[in-house]
Amino acid sequence: AQSVTQPDIHITVSEGASLELRCNYSYGATPYLFWYVQSPGQGLQLLLKYFSGDTLVQGIKGFEAEFKRSQSSFNLRKPSVHWSDAAEYFCAVRGGYSTLTFGKGTMLLVSP
Amino acid sequence: NAGVTQTPKFRVLKTGQSMTLLCAQDMNHEYMYWYRQDPGMGLRLIHYSVGEGTTAKGEVPDGYNVSRLKKQNFLLGLESAAPSQTSVYFCASSPLWEPQHFGDGTRLSIL
């Protein structure tokens, strides 16, 4: 069965600083990977996805992620964080019938 | 275009009561899903459907039933609510091979 690990429960970043959120996956074949963001009291919004091809994928809101098969990782990055980026971020891997297995999430706090 | 709509948004139940959560999507998606979100646990799949009239169990199906009588609707039922089912419930839908679209969630408290 597939699984996703997000090692960091909370991360605090200063506004304007760079960000990297870690995601490691376990999956038997070529994975389809996603990053979602959840603002308080809201549903999940898709940031970006990796299906195949270029291992560096661009998403919305200035986010990007890099797929590294050798490390079973799909880390999310942003060069300069804004206060509005404070939210919870979820990495997910797709299983059969497009079901998703999520990591436990990383809460991003942005300090002034 | 409303996307995925969940009703109700909030509900408080007593132990042993029953209720149904409704999910409606207007995007003509084939696949629909119900997840629960608990603090520190991420989202876990309860049940899903790959088309009208079909349902399947996910990771945590016990205590829940579902029905997909119409393509646009996916109902989640609790026959006898338990405090352990206090959670935020999310519905999602997707076309074949595409990412899921999520509703805004239903906050359910069971006393």
Side-chain angles (χ1 to χ4, degrees):
Chain A
Q2 64 265 25
S3 65
V4 175
T5 301
Q6 294 181 245
D8 304 305
I9 298 174
H10 297 99
I11 282 186
T12 300
V13 175
S14 299
E15 190 168 15
S18 63
L19 168 70
E20 183 169 27
L21 301 182
R22 296 184 291 165
C23 172
N24 293 97
Y25 68 89
S26 174
Y27 191 73
T30 299
Y32 289 174
L33 296 160
F34 307 85
W35 275 99
Y36 283 87
V37 61
Q38 183 182 34
S39 298
Q42 302 295 313
L44 276 71
Q45 180 183 22
L46 179 69
L47 283 176
L48 47 79
K49 62 185 180 184
Y50 171 76
F51 280 2
S52 65
D54 194 345
T55 56
L56 184 64
V57 294
Q58 302 298 319
I60 62 171
K61 304 184 178 185
F63 286 92
E64 66 178 25
E66 186 171 13
F67 171 65
K68 293 185 178 180
R69 185 186 300 275
S70 62
Q71 299 178 18
S72 298
S73 69
F74 188 56
N75 294 349
L76 182 71
R77 302 193 295 245
K78 187 171 185 179
S80 178
V81 169
H82 188 263
W83 63 266
S84 60
D85 293 324
E88 191 159 22
Y89 292 79
F90 293 94
C91 182
V93 63
R94 191 175 78 184
Y97 297 108
S98 294
T99 59
L100 293 176
T101 298
F102 286 88
K104 295 183 178 181
T106 297
M107 183 67 71
L108 173 65
L109 306 174
V110 180
S111 60
Chain B
N1 190 342
V4 178
T5 302
Q6 294 183 232
T7 53
K9 296 189 184 305
F10 305 92
R11 185 74 183 268
V12 178
L13 289 179
K14 295 181 179 179
T15 297
Q17 288 185 317
S18 64
M19 80 160 295
T20 300
L21 281 65
L22 171 64
C23 176
Q25 54 97 1
D26 61 2
M27 297 172 283
N28 200 36
H29 289 169
E30 288 295 328
Y31 293 174
M32 296 187 74
Y33 313 85
W34 276 107
Y35 295 89
R36 61 177 288 173
Q37 182 179 25
D38 302 292
M41 298 296 292
L43 280 79
R44 293 178 292 169
L45 182 66
I46 305 172
H47 285 279
Y48 63 100
S49 168
V50 300
E52 183 177 318
T54 74
T55 63
K57 294 180 180 180
E59 179 186 356
V60 289
D62 293 342
Y64 305 95
N65 56 75
V66 288
S67 64
R68 185 119 180 252
L69 299 180
K70 295 182 179 180
K71 185 177 183 178
Q72 64 267 33
N73 295 337
F74 194 29
L75 278 63
L76 178 71
L78 287 72
E79 291 186 347
S80 179
S84 61
Q85 294 177 304
T86 293
S87 188
V88 182
Y89 293 85
F90 286 98
C91 177
S93 70
S94 73
L96 297 176
W97 307 115
E98 290 297 319
Q100 295 179 16
H101 298 251
F102 284 82
D104 287 338
T106 295
R107 292 183 177 276
L108 181 61
S109 293
I110 300 164
L111 308 177

